Short mmCIF file of all heavy atoms in Angstrom, two decimals:
data_model
loop_
_atom_site.label_atom_id
_atom_site.label_comp_id
_atom_site.label_asym_id
_atom_site.label_seq_id
_atom_site.Cartn_x
_atom_site.Cartn_y
_atom_site.Cartn_z
N LEU A 1 0.25 -4.65 -3.63
CA LEU A 1 0.51 -5.42 -2.41
C LEU A 1 1.26 -6.70 -2.77
O LEU A 1 2.21 -7.11 -2.05
CB LEU A 1 -0.82 -5.73 -1.70
CG LEU A 1 -0.75 -6.44 -0.35
CD1 LEU A 1 0.04 -5.59 0.66
CD2 LEU A 1 -2.11 -6.78 0.17
N VAL A 2 0.90 -7.35 -3.87
CA VAL A 2 1.61 -8.53 -4.30
C VAL A 2 3.06 -8.20 -4.60
O VAL A 2 3.96 -8.98 -4.24
CB VAL A 2 0.93 -9.16 -5.54
CG1 VAL A 2 1.72 -10.29 -6.11
CG2 VAL A 2 -0.50 -9.60 -5.20
N ARG A 3 3.32 -7.05 -5.22
CA ARG A 3 4.70 -6.71 -5.58
C ARG A 3 5.59 -6.49 -4.39
O ARG A 3 6.82 -6.57 -4.51
CB ARG A 3 4.70 -5.47 -6.50
CG ARG A 3 4.28 -5.77 -7.91
CD ARG A 3 4.57 -4.59 -8.84
NE ARG A 3 3.74 -3.45 -8.58
CZ ARG A 3 2.53 -3.22 -9.07
NH1 ARG A 3 1.98 -4.11 -9.87
NH2 ARG A 3 1.87 -2.13 -8.77
N LEU A 4 5.03 -6.22 -3.23
CA LEU A 4 5.87 -6.07 -2.02
C LEU A 4 6.61 -7.38 -1.75
O LEU A 4 7.75 -7.38 -1.29
CB LEU A 4 4.99 -5.75 -0.79
CG LEU A 4 4.61 -4.31 -0.59
CD1 LEU A 4 3.71 -4.16 0.62
CD2 LEU A 4 5.81 -3.40 -0.45
N GLY A 5 5.96 -8.50 -2.00
CA GLY A 5 6.58 -9.81 -1.84
C GLY A 5 6.81 -10.21 -0.37
O GLY A 5 7.59 -11.09 -0.07
N ARG A 6 6.14 -9.52 0.54
CA ARG A 6 6.30 -9.80 1.98
C ARG A 6 5.07 -9.20 2.69
O ARG A 6 4.26 -8.52 2.06
CB ARG A 6 7.54 -9.17 2.56
CG ARG A 6 7.60 -7.65 2.35
CD ARG A 6 8.72 -6.98 3.04
NE ARG A 6 8.85 -5.58 2.68
CZ ARG A 6 8.07 -4.62 3.01
NH1 ARG A 6 7.00 -4.84 3.81
NH2 ARG A 6 8.27 -3.38 2.62
N ARG A 7 5.01 -9.40 3.98
CA ARG A 7 3.90 -8.81 4.79
C ARG A 7 4.03 -7.26 4.70
O ARG A 7 5.10 -6.72 4.90
CB ARG A 7 3.96 -9.24 6.21
CG ARG A 7 3.60 -10.68 6.43
CD ARG A 7 3.37 -10.91 7.90
NE ARG A 7 3.25 -12.32 8.21
CZ ARG A 7 2.14 -13.07 7.97
NH1 ARG A 7 1.07 -12.50 7.48
NH2 ARG A 7 2.12 -14.35 8.22
N ALA A 8 2.90 -6.65 4.46
CA ALA A 8 2.87 -5.20 4.43
C ALA A 8 2.85 -4.64 5.85
O ALA A 8 2.35 -5.34 6.77
CB ALA A 8 1.62 -4.71 3.71
N THR A 9 3.37 -3.45 6.03
CA THR A 9 3.23 -2.80 7.35
C THR A 9 1.92 -2.03 7.34
O THR A 9 1.34 -1.79 6.27
CB THR A 9 4.39 -1.81 7.58
OG1 THR A 9 4.30 -0.77 6.62
CG2 THR A 9 5.75 -2.53 7.48
N VAL A 10 1.50 -1.61 8.50
CA VAL A 10 0.29 -0.80 8.59
C VAL A 10 0.47 0.50 7.78
O VAL A 10 -0.45 0.96 7.13
CB VAL A 10 -0.04 -0.50 10.09
CG1 VAL A 10 -1.19 0.48 10.19
CG2 VAL A 10 -0.36 -1.79 10.80
N GLN A 11 1.66 1.06 7.85
CA GLN A 11 1.94 2.30 7.12
C GLN A 11 1.84 2.06 5.57
O GLN A 11 1.35 2.94 4.85
CB GLN A 11 3.33 2.86 7.44
CG GLN A 11 3.44 3.34 8.90
CD GLN A 11 3.66 2.23 9.92
OE1 GLN A 11 3.88 1.07 9.56
NE2 GLN A 11 3.56 2.57 11.20
N GLU A 12 2.32 0.94 5.14
CA GLU A 12 2.24 0.64 3.71
C GLU A 12 0.81 0.42 3.27
O GLU A 12 0.42 0.91 2.16
CB GLU A 12 3.08 -0.60 3.38
CG GLU A 12 4.57 -0.33 3.44
CD GLU A 12 5.44 -1.53 3.47
OE1 GLU A 12 4.99 -2.65 3.90
OE2 GLU A 12 6.61 -1.44 3.05
N LEU A 13 -0.03 -0.19 4.08
CA LEU A 13 -1.43 -0.33 3.76
C LEU A 13 -2.08 1.05 3.71
O LEU A 13 -2.93 1.32 2.86
CB LEU A 13 -2.16 -1.22 4.78
CG LEU A 13 -1.83 -2.66 4.73
CD1 LEU A 13 -2.66 -3.43 5.78
CD2 LEU A 13 -2.03 -3.30 3.37
N GLY A 14 -1.68 1.94 4.60
CA GLY A 14 -2.15 3.33 4.60
C GLY A 14 -1.81 4.04 3.31
O GLY A 14 -2.57 4.78 2.73
N ALA A 15 -0.56 3.82 2.85
CA ALA A 15 -0.13 4.42 1.58
C ALA A 15 -0.94 3.88 0.41
O ALA A 15 -1.30 4.64 -0.50
CB ALA A 15 1.39 4.19 1.40
N LEU A 16 -1.15 2.60 0.37
CA LEU A 16 -1.96 2.03 -0.69
C LEU A 16 -3.38 2.56 -0.69
O LEU A 16 -3.97 2.85 -1.73
CB LEU A 16 -2.01 0.50 -0.59
CG LEU A 16 -0.69 -0.25 -0.86
CD1 LEU A 16 -0.87 -1.74 -0.63
CD2 LEU A 16 -0.22 0.03 -2.27
N ASP A 17 -3.92 2.77 0.49
CA ASP A 17 -5.29 3.33 0.62
C ASP A 17 -5.28 4.80 0.08
O ASP A 17 -6.19 5.15 -0.63
CB ASP A 17 -5.72 3.28 2.07
CG ASP A 17 -7.10 3.86 2.33
OD1 ASP A 17 -7.96 3.77 1.41
OD2 ASP A 17 -7.33 4.42 3.41
N LEU A 18 -4.28 5.54 0.47
CA LEU A 18 -4.19 6.93 -0.01
C LEU A 18 -4.09 6.98 -1.53
O LEU A 18 -4.77 7.77 -2.16
CB LEU A 18 -2.97 7.63 0.62
CG LEU A 18 -2.69 9.03 0.21
CD1 LEU A 18 -3.83 9.98 0.68
CD2 LEU A 18 -1.38 9.51 0.75
N LEU A 19 -3.25 6.15 -2.11
CA LEU A 19 -3.09 6.12 -3.56
C LEU A 19 -4.39 5.70 -4.23
O LEU A 19 -4.74 6.27 -5.29
CB LEU A 19 -1.96 5.19 -3.97
CG LEU A 19 -0.56 5.70 -3.59
CD1 LEU A 19 0.48 4.60 -3.84
CD2 LEU A 19 -0.19 6.94 -4.40
N ALA A 20 -5.09 4.75 -3.68
CA ALA A 20 -6.35 4.28 -4.27
C ALA A 20 -7.42 5.36 -4.17
O ALA A 20 -8.29 5.46 -5.03
CB ALA A 20 -6.79 2.98 -3.62
N SER A 21 -7.36 6.16 -3.13
CA SER A 21 -8.34 7.25 -2.90
C SER A 21 -8.08 8.46 -3.81
O SER A 21 -8.99 9.31 -3.93
CB SER A 21 -8.30 7.69 -1.46
OG SER A 21 -8.63 6.63 -0.61
N ASN A 22 -6.89 8.57 -4.33
CA ASN A 22 -6.50 9.76 -5.10
C ASN A 22 -5.87 9.35 -6.46
O ASN A 22 -4.68 9.48 -6.64
CB ASN A 22 -5.50 10.59 -4.31
CG ASN A 22 -6.09 11.11 -3.04
OD1 ASN A 22 -6.97 11.95 -3.06
ND2 ASN A 22 -5.66 10.54 -1.95
N PRO A 23 -6.68 8.86 -7.40
CA PRO A 23 -6.12 8.41 -8.67
C PRO A 23 -5.47 9.55 -9.45
O PRO A 23 -5.89 10.70 -9.36
CB PRO A 23 -7.32 7.86 -9.42
CG PRO A 23 -8.50 8.43 -8.76
CD PRO A 23 -8.12 8.74 -7.35
N LEU A 24 -4.45 9.23 -10.19
CA LEU A 24 -3.70 10.27 -10.92
C LEU A 24 -4.43 10.79 -12.15
O LEU A 24 -4.30 11.95 -12.52
CB LEU A 24 -2.33 9.65 -11.37
CG LEU A 24 -1.33 10.59 -12.04
CD1 LEU A 24 -1.04 11.80 -11.16
CD2 LEU A 24 -0.03 9.89 -12.31
#
């Protein structure tokens, strides 16, 4: 989220949640 360097969109927060829920 910090690397975005701007306000996140709701969709970007959803993507971060998905990635956090499914570790590689």
Side-chain angles (χ1 to χ4, degrees):
L1 186 60
V2 173
R3 283 191 294 272
L4 280 176
R6 59 170 170 73
R7 289 193 191 281
T9 65
V10 173
Q11 292 81 8
E12 288 166 333
L13 290 181
L16 291 177
D17 180 32
L18 178 66
L19 290 170
S21 300
N22 298 290
L24 186 55

